[in-house]
Structure formats: C-alpha cells, structure tokens
Amino acid sequence: MELGACRIAFEKDGVYLHTSAKRHPDQDSIIPGVIRIIEKGSDTLLQWTPVEESSDAAQMTFTKKDTVGCQADEEIFDPGYEPDWAVISTVGTPSRVQEESNASGPKSPAPRGQWAFTLHLSELKSIRKSKPGLGWSYLIFITKDGVSIQALHFHRGGTKALLKALCKYVILATSPKDSRLYLVYTHDSYALTHSFDELQLFDDSSSNLVSRFLQDPYAATFGGFSKVTNFFRGALHHEDGTPQHAHSDPGAGNVEDETGFELITCQARLAERPSVQRETPVTEQEWEQHLDPSGRVVDPSGLRRRIFAGGLSMSLRKEAWKYLLGCYAWENSAEENKAQVRRKTDEYFRMKLQWKSVSEEQERRNSLLRGYRSLIERDVSRTDRNNKFYEGSENPGLVLLNDVLMTYCMYNFDLGYVQGMSDLLSPILYITQNEVEAFWCFCGFMELVHRNFEESQESMKRQLAQLTLLLRVLDPPLCDFLDSKESGTLCFCFRWILIWFKREFAFSEILQLWEALWTGLPCPNFHLLVACGILDAERQALMNSGFGFNEILKHINELTMKMSVEDILCRAEAIYRQLAATPDLPRNVQELLGLSEGKSPSPSTDTASSPQPLSPSQAQEMELTDSVSPSQPDSSIEILPTEEGTTSQSLSP
C-alpha cells in the first residue's frame, strides 16, 4: 500500500494499548489501534496509531465478539507485564467500574492521539513478548535510550506475523538470559554473522550468534565450529530438502537452554517408535522364586523390571507394595523386615497418641491442628466413596483414612496435610487394609511426591516445563497447535502430575499404574512420559476438531475414566525407547530421562527409584520453602483461570 512517499509494508488492526494495569480497567484505558511497518525512502518506521473514536468503539472490548479467531471471553485478564504462575487462580468479582462511572456522571477522556508513536527501527534496542497462555499476547518495544513503549496487546493475534515482518529489516536475536526478550540488531551488525549464515551452521537460531559473539567471541566461534559435522548430517537428512534460513519466525523460540558449547543446530531426528506389549502380571509363585530360604529377595533389579513390565497380581500387592514403597528393605530377610515393622508400629502409635491426646481446650488454641483436622474430615468424606471399602457413613475404612492422615501431620510438621493427599493414601489403605502398614507405605509414596504439595509450587512449575520440553521434542506440530490456542503452558496437565493420574483412571487401573511408576523404571520422570502418552493418544482429537482453549480443557477433563492404562503405559514405554534410540537428543532431555553419560539423572521428584526404608528414629527432612497454610485449603488444587463458559476444575468430585 502506497501512502504519499511512503509504502506500508505491514499493517495489523486489533492492536490495543492498555493505559492502565488495573485488573478491571475502565473503557477509556483500552485504546484500539493499528500497527504498521512503513518504508520511507531508505528508512523504516514502526508506527502505532489509535483508530477513530465512535459511539461503540469503547464498548467493543467489554462484549463478546463474533469474529472468527477472536478471544471467546474478552474479560480474560493478563496480569501485568511479568505475570506470575497462572495454573491456579480464582475467578474475580465482576467489574464495577462501569456502574461507578455511570453513577458519577460522564467523564472527559484524555485525547487518544497522545498515545500514538512512531519509531525508527534503528532506534530499537529490544522487544519483550508475553508468556503464552496468559490472556492476550502483547509486545513491549524498548528503545536504545532505555524508554519502554506502553505494551501493545494483540487481541486478535498477530505478534508472530509482526515479528516475522520485522526480520526483513532487522535481526532479532533471542537473549541468552531471557527467552522472552529479543535483542534488535541492524544489518550493519549482521556482518558479524554473515559468514556463518552463508554456511548455515546455526540453522534456525543463527541470529542468536550476535548476542553470543558479543558476550563471548571465543566460545561462540569455536562452539559453532564444533557443530559442523552435526549440521551437515542434519542438512542431508532434512525431510523436505529445503535449506535452513536464519530469518525464521522468532516466535517459535528455543527449546533447549544453552549450556557451554551445546547449540541447537537442528531438530533431533527421532528414531522409529517401537511397538511395546505388556507382559503378564507377576504371580505369587514367580515372586517366591525370587526369594532365598531366609526370605531375602535375590535379584531386586530383575524383580522390579518384571513388575514394571507386567504389574502384580492382586493377591501379591499387599506384600510387594511394602518393598516398592520402602516399608520393607529389599536386602533384608523376612525376620529382619518383621522386626523393622514392629519398631515402626511403636513409632506410629506414639505419633498417633500426640494428636489423640490433645484436649478440646488445647485444640481451641491450636489453629494449625484445628485446620488440618477440618480439612482432612472434609476430604475423607468424599474420597473414593463409590469403592466398597469406603462406602457408607459408618465405614471403618473412613476412620482409618482419617487417622493415618492426622498422624502424618505429626510425622511431617512442615508439610502437614494438603488437599489431594487423601487420594494418594486411599489405594494404599485399600490394598494393605492395615493402619500401620498403610501409614509407612504412604510415607514412602510422599517421599516421591511431597514437593508437589509445596505452597510455592516450584516443583509443579518445573515439571510442567519439563513436560513441555519433552512434548516439543516429540511432537512440535502439537506444541505449535497448543501454543496457538493459548494452551502451551499445559495447565490442563496440572492434576495429572499433582496426584499421579489418580483421577484419570479407574481405581483398579491406578493400582497397576502406580506400581509401575514406583519401580523407578525405565528412567527417571517416567510419569512425564505417561502424560506424553496421553497427549499422543489424543493428538488427532485435539488437532482435527478446531478446539479453542476452553474446548481443549473440556476435552481433557472428559477423558477421566475413559482411558486404558495398558495402552497408555505401552505408549509411554515406546516413547522412552524411541527417545533413547535417538541420536543427538538435546542434552537437557537426556539428563531429564537419565540418558546422559557421566551425569546422574535429575528427576523432577525427590528420587527416581523406589523409596529407601524409613528409619523409625529418623526425622524426615523436607526441603520446603514454606509450610502450607490451611487457611486456603483448595488453593493448590484449582486449575482453570477462565471466568465464563468454563467450570473450575478441582480435585473435588
């Protein structure tokens, strides 16, 4: 489009400037506008101008739009420019700004033209983009003078298109310290990377070379040359045969963080995924064959492999789970394990007596204990009530469930009780049908997952990020699809990881899944591959149905009790074997799955293998940042951040 002596090279409407960071801004603080890239002679300008005001222009952002591709609910809130973790949220009260403004009479809005701006691209220093999945996408332009232009919110999408258009005029290099910050370089500085670009040594992330070179020329240069062989191998086997260009869409981002000389030169070419079949369950006769005359397990590693591959017969679970969860030691004889249980029984009842002996008057002055008791009573009353072991109001199983959880608060003062723990204890108590054994097995399980229940949720954030990394390597198109639907954070997987899929499978199937996970095989963090298996099974349903954010979440919620644990376990193991056989797998993926040589795996939970036996005299040491407050018992469970048209997903049945 020609405009006088200028040419408009790019134009996008539906770009809003939010002049207020309030959660419920008034109408005049959201200004619609158009952003353009304008070629003016040898210069290139970036320009944003507000649209002409009309009678209903200010109303459009507060009503639902019918335009295809727009947000379904316009009151989704983008919490500032450095948004916090948004898996958990509460729905706020409706805005009263409009009512108050009507009551106080009309106000004279500030002229919208004052917010217009025009920048020479040579003046740009950097561009910051928003986190995916948190309301509208936005961009913040920062000049070389250190001035940050007010954030531009793309209500109808278009951030990637704008960034791609800018790549024609400048180089956008992802900051090595912040993946959401693009450093802007003119083509004069492009001379630094010209030789590398001609050789295409750095594939899609070659533009990052500028920032690397400026920070450490030696490392950048020799790190690049160390990957020459890897580049040519990837280029020769590229699927479509097209060369890789430096000016790729910067919105795609990098999956792997830079470490030393490790550069992402090309996407790992995955090995063929094998077919996996489950084996038959371990029977009592087979179990006895693994015991010597003293009752000691002869080959614990081989037995764990069999349990992972086929599971356990129902009659064997009561005995075998004690080994898997650390109540029994694999290396102990039968008599030694029995003696250990006697010691643990004494310790259990000492801890139980601590809360049982608290008088009503004492409890009135102990808000923490009172809060735990109230929360446990409420959760026990609704945990697996359709199971015969827990059905009925006077069921003794409910009393045992309550007592074990209350005693755990005495065992682990720092963590106490958090909603969701009753879901983890229920199957264990069902299998053992013994209060003491259930308690110590539960403690072993909590050794694996206790960080999931931290108030800071750092572990949950880390595991969701690791799941995203795995999915990005396994299925980039699915990741791109979820990103385009504001679901790239995988917040719908929160409950899966929190309580290890307890609500996703039938009760009988969760027994089989958990005993496979408790073996610690075939790798650390196998539960994340189970999540990948579920997403792999639902890939076509998600991508071919035109789902938006709300529909994706609804579809995932409706999978509950409809999946086959046999199928998902086979998929997860096949994915592991595929990744293990993949050459040039990204280093952080290798470390996540324990595939890297010379390095110990870095599991998401405390340990990747079965828990060690719990010493009766040993005080449990938890590395928690804060104790969990009972004042908001449901806050660590609720998942859904949208307001209308979506129900809040929680652990409450």
Side-chain angles (χ1 to χ4, degrees):
M1 180 186 298
E2 300 292 338
L3 187 62
C6 305
R7 188 180 78 87
I8 298 178
F10 176 86
E11 184 176 70
K12 182 73 178 72
D13 60 358
V15 182
Y16 290 72
L17 190 146
H18 293 200
T19 63
S20 172
K22 295 179 180 179
R23 182 179 181 88
H24 300 292
D26 56 44
Q27 299 173 2
D28 293 319
S29 67
I30 302 181
I31 304 176
V34 178
I35 192 166
R36 299 183 178 95
I37 298 176
I38 301 174
E39 295 178 354
K40 186 177 181 180
S42 60
D43 203 358
T44 306
L45 308 175
L46 180 68
Q47 181 185 81
W48 181 87
T49 54
V51 299
E52 293 295 328
E53 296 180 291
S54 61
S55 58
D56 58 351
Q59 303 288 338
M60 61 186 294
T61 59
F62 288 88
T63 58
K64 292 185 179 180
K65 300 178 183 178
D66 296 328
T67 308
V68 177
C70 296
Q71 292 284 100
D73 295 308
E74 290 296 1
E75 290 194 26
I76 294 178
F77 175 62
D78 188 353
Y81 302 137
E82 289 296 337
D84 294 327
W85 186 248
V87 171
I88 298 162
S89 76
T90 54
V91 179
T93 56
S95 175
R96 297 177 128 184
V97 174
Q98 188 171 359
E99 296 177 9
E100 294 172 357
S101 62
N102 292 338
S104 61
K107 297 180 181 179
S108 298
R112 296 189 173 190
Q114 70 176 358
W115 296 100
F117 67 84
T118 301
L119 284 175
H120 294 266
L121 292 189
S122 59
E123 298 175 358
L124 272 180
K125 177 183 179 182
S126 57
I127 303 173
R128 177 171 293 279
K129 67 175 181 176
S130 59
K131 289 183 180 179
L134 300 178
W136 296 304
S137 298
Y138 62 77
L139 294 175
I140 301 174
F141 298 94
I142 304 169
T143 69
K144 292 180 179 178
D145 296 329
V147 178
S148 296
I149 308 299
Q150 200 80 9
L152 297 180
H153 295 251
F154 291 70
H155 290 198
R156 303 174 189 175
T159 55
K160 289 186 178 181
L162 174 61
L163 293 172
K164 188 173 183 178
L166 286 173
C167 285
K168 180 180 178 182
Y169 307 96
V170 293
I171 299 170
L172 299 182
T174 305
S175 169
K177 297 181 180 179
D178 186 349
S179 61
R180 293 170 49 216
L181 184 68
Y182 295 120
L183 306 177
V184 180
Y185 298 95
T186 63
H187 283 278
D188 293 337
S189 62
Y190 181 63
L192 290 172
T193 61
H194 185 69
S195 299
F196 295 107
D197 184 42
E198 291 297 325
L199 293 175
Q200 293 292 311
L201 295 182
F202 296 98
D203 198 34
D204 287 341
S205 55
S206 62
S207 60
N208 292 336
L209 179 61
V210 175
S211 57
R212 295 186 196 127
F213 188 90
L214 293 176
Q215 288 188 351
D216 191 344
Y218 185 88
T221 303
F222 287 96
F225 281 120
S226 70
K227 286 295 189 176
V228 172
T229 304
N230 180 47
F231 160 74
F232 281 110
R233 180 170 60 253
L236 291 173
H237 292 87
H238 197 266
E239 292 182 2
D240 57 9
T242 58
Q244 303 297 300
H245 296 287
H247 303 300
S248 63
D249 182 2
N254 293 328
V255 175
E256 184 177 4
D257 295 332
E258 298 179 32
T259 305
F261 291 155
E262 185 70 18
L263 304 175
I264 299 299
T265 59
C266 59
Q267 181 183 332
R269 186 176 180 85
L270 295 177
E272 183 178 354
R273 186 175 299 180
S275 176
V276 174
Q277 300 293 328
R278 295 286 293 170
E279 299 179 7
T280 58
V282 178
T283 62
E284 292 185 64
Q285 292 76 14
E286 183 179 353
W287 178 271
E288 290 175 357
Q289 292 174 3
H290 284 80
L291 303 179
D292 66 10
S294 66
R296 183 180 287 105
V297 178
V298 177
D299 182 14
S301 298
L303 187 53
R304 279 199 296 266
R305 282 194 295 269
R306 271 289 290 126
I307 295 172
F308 171 78
L312 295 160
S313 60
M314 189 64 181
S315 59
L316 186 57
R317 283 181 171 136
K318 179 178 173 64
E319 180 75 5
W321 279 23
K322 299 173 192 176
Y323 286 92
L324 292 173
L325 291 171
C327 188
Y328 283 177
W330 293 94
E331 65 276 9
N332 282 359
S333 66
E335 287 301 319
E336 289 170 336
N337 280 327
K338 288 180 181 179
Q340 182 168 277
V341 168
R342 286 193 293 269
R343 294 192 299 270
K344 289 183 175 182
T345 300
D346 293 339
E347 183 175 359
Y348 172 78
F349 284 109
R350 283 198 303 271
M351 291 186 292
K352 183 175 180 180
L353 184 61
Q354 291 174 2
W355 65 268
K356 277 284 191 180
S357 60
V358 174
S359 66
E360 292 183 7
E361 187 167 343
Q362 284 179 299
E363 189 167 322
R364 281 199 299 268
R365 294 189 295 271
N366 191 334
S367 60
L368 188 62
L369 181 62
R370 195 166 61 246
Y372 286 151
R373 188 190 297 274
S374 174
L375 182 54
I376 289 172
E377 288 177 355
R378 187 182 69 177
D379 284 358
V380 164
S381 67
R382 57 188 185 182
T383 299
D384 292 325
R385 297 307 301 277
N386 57 342
N387 188 297
K388 291 184 178 180
F389 188 73
Y390 298 109
E391 67 181 4
S393 57
E394 302 297 330
N395 195 308
L398 299 179
V399 177
L400 294 179
L401 199 63
N402 179 89
D403 289 358
V404 170
L405 292 172
M406 283 296 299
T407 306
Y408 185 77
C409 294
M410 300 295 103
Y411 176 78
N412 188 348
F413 285 102
D414 288 336
L415 186 58
Y417 178 80
V418 182
Q419 187 188 16
M421 291 183 182
S422 61
D423 280 282
L424 302 184
L425 173 60
S426 172
I428 295 174
L429 183 58
Y430 170 79
I431 290 297
T432 62
Q433 299 195 15
N434 178 284
E435 181 179 0
V436 175
E437 293 176 352
F439 173 82
W440 290 110
C441 286
F442 175 68
C443 289
F445 195 2
M446 288 301 298
E447 282 290 299
L448 296 173
V449 299
H450 72 85
R451 287 193 174 90
N452 288 3
F453 298 95
E454 293 178 7
E455 189 176 26
S456 66
Q457 295 185 339
E458 288 301 319
S459 176
M460 291 300 300
K461 287 186 263 186
R462 180 172 61 254
Q463 289 176 79
L464 286 172
Q466 291 169 338
L467 177 58
T468 303
L469 169 65
L470 290 171
L471 195 63
R472 175 66 64 182
V473 172
L474 287 167
D475 197 341
L478 177 58
C479 272
D480 291 339
F481 169 79
L482 294 175
D483 282 339
S484 69
K485 303 301 181 181
E486 306 295 337
S487 300
T489 57
L490 304 182
C491 62
F492 47 80
C493 301
F494 184 87
R495 189 177 68 183
W496 298 359
I497 298 173
L498 180 71
I499 53 173
W500 276 24
F501 311 95
K502 170 62 166 54
R503 296 290 181 91
E504 318 313 319
F505 295 96
F507 192 90
S508 58
E509 292 191 317
I510 206 65
L511 309 179
Q512 184 178 354
L513 174 62
W514 282 1
E515 61 198 15
L517 294 176
W518 290 336
T519 64
L521 298 173
C523 64
N525 303 309
F526 185 68
H527 66 293
L528 298 181
L529 294 183
V530 172
C532 289
I534 296 175
L535 294 174
D536 180 71
E538 298 302 316
R539 182 183 192 276
Q540 298 301 321
L542 291 172
M543 296 185 67
N544 296 337
S545 302
F547 287 161
F549 175 82
N550 290 341
E551 290 80 11
I552 290 174
L553 186 58
K554 182 174 182 291
H555 177 81
I556 295 297
N557 287 344
E558 291 175 348
L559 294 177
T560 301
M561 305 300 166
K562 296 180 181 178
M563 297 180 289
S564 165
V565 75
E566 291 272 347
D567 174 63
I568 297 303
L569 279 173
C570 288
R571 286 178 181 269
E573 186 178 356
I575 289 172
Y576 168 74
R577 294 185 183 181
Q578 179 185 31
L579 292 176
T582 297
D584 302 319
L585 197 65
R587 182 185 300 173
N588 49 3
V589 177
Q590 295 180 36
E591 293 175 354
L592 182 63
L593 301 179
L595 298 174
S596 57
E597 297 180 1
K599 285 195 176 185
S600 58
S602 54
S604 299
T605 49
D606 290 338
T607 178
S609 59
S610 299
Q612 296 300 313
L614 300 170
S615 171
S617 60
Q618 180 184 13
Q620 185 181 30
E621 297 179 359
M622 296 291 196
E623 297 177 359
L624 299 176
T625 57
D626 296 294
S627 59
V628 178
S629 169
S631 58
Q632 294 180 341
D634 296 331
S635 64
S636 62
I637 308 300
E638 297 175 2
I639 295 176
L640 183 60
T642 56
E643 298 190 6
E644 294 183 14
T646 313
T647 57
S648 177
Q649 177 183 353
S650 71
L651 289 179
S652 302

